[in-house]
Amino acid sequence: MTRHLRSLLDLSAAETGRLIDIAADMKATPGKYGAELSGKSVAMIFSKQSTRTRISFEVGIHQLGGQPLFLTTSGGSGMQMGRGETIHDTAKVLSRFVHGIVIRTFGQAEVDGLAEHGSIPVINALTDDYHPCQALADMLTIREKLGGTEGKKLVYVGAGNNVAHSLMLLGPRSGMNIVVNCPDSLRPDAKILARAQADAAAAGTTVEVIVDPKEAVAGAHVLYTDTWVSMGQDDAAKELMAKLDGYTIDGALMAATGNKDALFMHCLPAHRGDEVSAEVMDGRSSVVFDQAENRLHAQKALLALLLGGQSWT
Ligand code: CP
Ligand code: NVA
């Protein structure tokens, strides 16, 4: 059966741990993996902007010996998808040419449709609902910085968005307890929350939503945030900024964890003065650039598992 990463729901806790083990080994000894994707091509379809995801996938595929094909869906050089060719037909055609698809888009249905109608692995490189590659890199980062993820408390401060959803699903797959700290009007999706909480109950971890920032962050090992205005939400920017007023991670909120060693994480791009103060973003608790680098290692492990010679067990 063809495996995909449509969201973290595609991975068990054991598989997530295995992927992070491979990522750590790839980071330590990259030379060992130079032929994982030898002779293989990967289509990278991007309908939204990207710095980290695009570059880390292109470089990562190259480092594994494969060929990345960067494709957009708009403008004169975009794919026919942008002019109405169906996902069904696109999936079938790409399956004749390439060995895998990485896609960044708006609707999760496009990712699911490519997986359903094609015959090759599909990797979600961000949708409005999920950002699983980010969460995998975050797990690697936390493991490196804190020596493990088991029993750690991660508090995501901000809107209940794609990044929050993937962290919620990461919790039970990594042994972490997750708190989403958001205004009541920007809670995570109810269905995704229910699924994350069910997975957490089965794994013996917790996923909670807490509105009050000081209450939420008490005892945290990691404070995490994301841009207040996601791609595709520009029309609602003013309203989102107003709702999130009071949810900035600053020195006082870091101190409210009661943990002087608490880490600050951000998927980036960052907006100093909005979701994070410059003092925290550029301060000693911040691990954001290690986090960005780990996109490369985690995604290479994912590619080697889905398209290369690595096994999930
Ligand atoms: N964090 C992240 O996905 O960054 P990009 O949007 O730059 O890819
Ligand atoms: N929530 C953000 C994440 C960017 C990496 C967005 O979707 O734009």
Side-chain angles (χ1 to χ4, degrees), residues 4 31 52 57 87 140 144 153 206 214 223 233 240 282:
H4 307 284
R52 281 143 290 269
F57 266 113
I87 284 289
L140 175 61
E144 286 173 353
K153 174 176 175 179
T206 56
K214 285 226 162 69
L223 295 195
Q233 295 187 320
L240 286 164
D282 303 312

Side-chain angles (χ1 to χ4, degrees), residues 28-277:
T29 51
K32 249 167 66 184
Y33 298 93
E36 281 289 329
L37 298 190
S38 176
K40 298 200 169 159
S41 302
V42 182
M44 297 174 47
I45 306 171
F46 278 60
S47 303
K48 286 177 174 173
Q49 282 151 308
S50 173
T51 297
R52 281 143 290 269
T53 308
R54 173 183 177 174
I55 297 170
S56 55
F57 266 113
E58 281 202 64
V59 170
I61 292 163
H62 170 74
Q63 289 180 359
L64 295 172
Q67 178 199 29
L69 294 164
F70 181 75
L71 306 162
T72 61
T73 55
S74 60
S77 56
M79 292 177 73
Q80 295 284 10
M81 262 172 86
R83 294 182 64 242
E85 185 165 17
T86 66
I87 284 289
H88 179 282
D89 292 348
T90 304
K92 293 212 177 305
V93 171
L94 286 178
S95 297
R96 302 290 176 106
F97 291 135
V98 300
H99 302 85
I101 301 172
V102 172
I103 176 164
R104 166 169 285 201
T105 189
F106 295 86
Q108 180 67 22
E110 285 189 30
V111 177
D112 296 343
L114 287 174
E116 188 187 336
H117 298 293
S119 54
I120 53 177
V122 175
I123 295 173
N124 179 346
L126 182 146
T127 59
D128 292 345
D129 287 347
Y130 298 113
H131 198 0
C133 295
Q134 180 67 53
L136 292 170
D138 298 341
M139 179 170 168
L140 175 61
T141 310
I142 295 166
R143 201 193 261 195
E144 286 173 353
K145 300 293 175 188
L146 300 181
T149 48
E150 225 30 67
K152 303 298 184 214
K153 174 176 175 179
L154 181 151
V155 183
Y156 169 94
V157 182
N161 64 10
N162 45 8
V163 170
H165 291 159
S166 286
L167 291 170
M168 282 158 41
L169 293 175
L170 179 68
R173 287 163 180 76
S174 63
M176 285 195 288
N177 298 314
I178 308 294
V179 175
V180 175
N181 171 227
C182 58
D184 202 42
S185 55
L186 294 174
R187 291 171 65 89
D189 178 84
K191 263 170 89 175
I192 299 171
L193 177 64
R195 175 58 195 264
Q197 288 179 326
D199 288 356
T205 64
T206 56
V207 177
E208 295 169 89
V209 177
I210 298 178
V211 171
D212 181 70
K214 285 226 162 69
E215 181 193 340
V217 303
H221 300 93
V222 179
L223 295 195
Y224 193 122
T225 192
D226 181 14
T227 178
W228 283 351
V229 183
S230 284
M231 291 178 280
Q233 295 187 320
D234 289 340
D235 291 348
K238 248 181 122 173
E239 190 189 326
L240 286 164
M241 305 276 289
K243 284 180 176 168
L244 285 158
D245 188 26
Y247 286 83
T248 302
I249 299 185
D250 56 13
L253 201 64
M254 289 299 293
T257 62
N259 174 7
K260 64 175 178 30
D261 298 321
L263 302 178
F264 170 72
M265 296 180 72
H266 192 314
C267 58
L268 305 180
H271 306 82
R272 289 169 179 77
D274 292 338
E275 72 271 10
V276 60
S277 68

